[in-house]
């Protein structure tokens, strides 16, 4: 063998074999928002043209194929403090449906767990719709049923800000985690058969939701707090409760939630610069800090693998998945775009995970959650009528 010939990467071939059998279910991708804010496309899916590689973004059809993605949860995101959240939620749900409609040969509109297998059998990618941020409810339960009718099968309760009924991980608590209306939201999601996603909620909100939910939950894009102490990550007591709940935590790639080194650097540099909070333009702020304090540490694929290992140690092998949160911004070295998933699985092969273990992480755990959430919903709908009303109808007892 000449030195120009790279050694065969057995780990990578093993990873690809796993993903061939069990293509990845990725718990979170913000492509719909990327298409909405793209200056040329402005929300027009056809103008954006997912068939070509978007070098400056991270998600398109050629790279989803290369990444061996079998199902994608696309986020219908609404910013908390922008006007018209209910309208924005509908527009983003519609945008995801337009992605499905524009590429029927690629995306399989997925509304049930069984659609994963049907998509795979027909060589397509199952497209699941997730709402990110309960602000689009505008404090009413009705939109939940309309979202469900439109195909939504997972809901992230809030984003970076606390709402009138649920506390965010990255904002001041106002509701002791989850108040009476928040508990009604959880109950109605259970009844409808929509997965409750506790990514972004405060640790207390996670605990309160686990107290009341009748179905498994997901943390669709969250890491282990014990490895990186960002409040977006899940504490050990919550991770341990996923066993009894039957739910799962999906390891995420957002550098600030991955790397404690980056987190410590940001903390030190911000202290030195006298700035405590994120500027409106994090990119510009990072550039400014780097000019003063030198280059920031970069999160890496290996550190994401560290989180997967820690999550498995804490929550159990049956309760972990992957939720990349590709959002068109920074990502760890080695995980630059959606084509890179096999490389993460190759690293997990090197860490000693068997093929069977990795099939659980790639898809089987999330499929079990989806099936169970569907079954719980079907049974609750036989005995329970729809929960109706607005937040004022749910005073704290
Ligand atoms: Zn998010």
């Amino acid at each position: 063998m000449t030195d120009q010939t790279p050694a065969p990467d057995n780990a990578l071939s093993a990873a690809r074999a796993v993903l061939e059998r069990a293509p990845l279910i990725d718990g979170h991708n913000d492509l719909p928002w990327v298409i909405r804010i793209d200056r040329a496309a402005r929300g027009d899916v056809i103008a954006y043209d997912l068939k070509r590689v978007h070098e400056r973004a991270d998600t398109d059809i050629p790279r989803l194929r290369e990444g061996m993605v079998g199902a994608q949860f696309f986020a219908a995101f609404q910013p908390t403090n922008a006007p018209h959240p209910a309208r924005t939620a509908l527009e983003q749900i519609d945008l995801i449906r337009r992605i499905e409609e524009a590429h029927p040969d690629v995306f399989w509109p997925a509304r049930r767990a069984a659609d994963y297998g049907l998509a795979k059998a027909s060589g397509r990618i199952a497209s699941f719709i997730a709402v990110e941020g309960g602000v689009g409810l505008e404090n009413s339960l009705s939109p939940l049923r309309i979202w469900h009718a439109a195909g939504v099968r997972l809901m992230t309760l809030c984003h970076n800000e606390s709402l009138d009924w649920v506390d965010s991980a990255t904002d001041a608590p106002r509701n002791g985690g989850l108040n009476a209306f928040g508990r009604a939201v959880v109950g109605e999601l259970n009844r409808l058969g929509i997965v409750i996603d506790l990514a972004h909620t405060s640790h207390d909100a996670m605990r309160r939701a686990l107290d009341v939910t009748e179905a498994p939950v997901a943390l669709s894009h969250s890491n282990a707090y014990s490895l990186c102490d960002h409040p977006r990550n899940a504490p050990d007591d919550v991770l341990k409760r996923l066993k009894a709940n039957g739910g799962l935590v999906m390891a995420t790639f957002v550098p600030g939630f991955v790397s404690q080194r980056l987190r410590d650097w940001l903390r030190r540099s911000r202290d030195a610069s006298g700035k405590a909070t994120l500027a409106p333009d994090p990119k510009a702020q990072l550039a400014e800090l780097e000019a003063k304090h030198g280059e920031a540490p970069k999160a890496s694929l290996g550190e994401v693998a560290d989180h997967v290992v820690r999550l498995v140690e804490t929550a159990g092998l049956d309760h972990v998945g992957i939720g990349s949160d590709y959002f068109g911004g920074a990502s760890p070295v080695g995980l630059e775009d959606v084509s890179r998933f096999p490389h993460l699985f190759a690293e997990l092969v090197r860490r000693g995970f068997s093929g069977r273990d990795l099939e659980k992480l790639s898809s089987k755990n999330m499929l079990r959650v989806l099936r169970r959430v569907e079954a719980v919903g079907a049974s609750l709908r036989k005995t329970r009528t729809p929960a109706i009303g607005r937040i004022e109808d749910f005073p704290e007892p």
Side-chain angles (χ1 to χ4, degrees), residues 28 30 132 156 159-160 199-200 221 232 325:
H28 195 87
D30 276 309
E132 185 175 34
T156 315
H159 193 240
N160 290 338
H200 283 289
H221 51 305
R232 270 285 281 101
D325 197 6

Side-chain angles (χ1 to χ4, degrees), residues 11 30 61 65 85 98 102 107 141 156 160 173 196 202 209 211 232 241 243 269 272 290 311 346 377 379 390:
D30 276 309
I61 290 168
R65 293 297 201 188
R98 282 186 282 119
F107 294 110
L141 293 167
T156 315
N160 290 338
I196 293 154
S202 73
D211 290 343
R232 270 285 281 101
R241 287 181 69 181
K243 272 191 193 133
S269 320
E290 286 191 323
L311 292 171
S379 114
R390 300 187 184 147

Side-chain angles (χ1 to χ4, degrees), residues 39-372:
R39 281 200 197 147
R42 298 163 51 113
D44 182 338
V45 169
I46 292 161
Y48 191 80
D49 189 9
L50 283 166
K51 285 190 295 242
R52 69 176 177 85
V53 172
H54 288 256
E55 291 292 356
R56 286 165 55 215
D58 48 38
T59 304
D60 45 58
I61 290 168
R63 288 184 293 179
L64 282 167
R65 293 297 201 188
E66 205 184 328
M68 307 184 80
V69 174
Q72 182 64 66
F73 278 81
F74 285 119
F77 165 68
Q78 327 104 60
T80 308
N81 293 319
H84 311 303
R87 183 174 86 188
T88 307
L90 292 179
E91 286 170 348
Q92 293 308 98
I93 292 167
D94 170 58
L95 196 156
I96 298 165
R97 295 180 58 115
R98 282 186 282 119
I99 293 175
E100 295 167 352
E101 190 180 325
H103 304 283
D105 52 330
V106 178
F107 294 110
W108 178 285
R111 310 294 183 253
R112 300 177 58 82
D115 287 318
Y116 170 82
L118 296 172
K120 180 171 183 275
S122 67
R124 280 172 263 196
I125 299 167
S127 159
F128 283 96
I129 305 174
V131 163
E132 185 175 34
V135 67
L137 294 179
E138 298 195 12
N139 292 338
S140 167
L141 293 167
S142 279
L144 291 175
R145 288 178 287 276
I146 304 303
W147 292 350
H148 181 268
V152 171
R153 292 298 178 268
L154 179 143
M155 178 188 170
T156 315
L157 297 185
C158 62
H159 193 240
N160 290 338
E161 298 78 16
S162 292
L163 303 178
D164 295 335
W165 50 272
V166 60
D167 293 336
S168 169
T170 46
D171 195 1
R174 305 199 239 139
N175 307 290
L178 201 63
N179 67 14
F181 181 74
R183 295 192 293 277
V185 170
V186 166
E188 188 61 9
L189 290 170
N190 283 161
R191 198 191 68 90
L192 288 167
I194 296 178
V195 179
I196 293 154
D197 177 15
L198 301 177
H200 283 289
T201 69
S202 73
H203 295 173
D204 275 342
M206 294 172 186
R207 293 174 185 124
R208 296 297 81 78
L210 282 164
D211 290 343
V212 295
T213 183
E214 292 163 84
V217 300
L219 287 85
S220 76
H221 51 305
S222 299
N223 286 333
Y225 186 79
S226 65
L227 269 192
C228 175
D229 66 0
H230 194 291
R232 270 285 281 101
N233 291 335
D236 282 0
D237 67 295
V238 166
L239 293 173
K240 286 178 183 155
R241 287 181 69 181
L242 292 176
K243 272 191 193 133
N245 166 264
L248 92 171
V249 56
M250 306 176 94
T252 193
F253 303 170
V254 178
F257 312 156
V258 169
S259 172
Q260 186 66 45
R261 290 176 305 126
L262 171 60
R263 204 164 149 62
D264 291 341
W265 183 91
L266 282 171
R267 207 177 270 149
R268 270 201 318 275
S269 320
R270 272 190 213 130
D271 288 350
S273 307
K275 275 184 198 161
T277 53
L278 264 186
D281 182 355
K283 244 187 201 164
Q285 191 197 18
L286 186 65
E288 194 188 314
L289 290 176
E290 286 191 323
K292 278 194 198 129
H293 306 284
E295 203 184 328
K298 297 231 179 330
S300 69
L301 179 153
E303 286 173 303
V304 174
D306 294 343
H307 277 280
V308 173
V309 169
R310 179 63 61 88
L311 292 171
V312 166
E313 285 166 357
T314 315
L317 181 64
D318 292 335
H319 304 281
V320 180
I322 304 294
S324 66
D325 197 6
Y326 281 115
F327 65 101
S331 51
V333 175
L335 289 170
E336 288 77 8
D337 60 65
V338 293
S339 74
R340 301 292 302 175
F341 291 116
H343 295 269
L344 175 59
F345 279 77
E347 178 59 20
L348 296 172
V349 169
R350 288 181 209 111
R351 305 279 180 109
F353 285 89
S354 71
R356 211 173 264 193
D357 296 344
L358 293 177
E359 287 180 25
K360 290 185 173 187
L361 302 185
S362 73
S363 59
K364 290 195 169 158
N365 291 340
M366 186 54 168
L367 281 177
R368 181 200 68 234
V369 168
L370 288 168
R371 283 193 207 103
R372 184 73 198 138

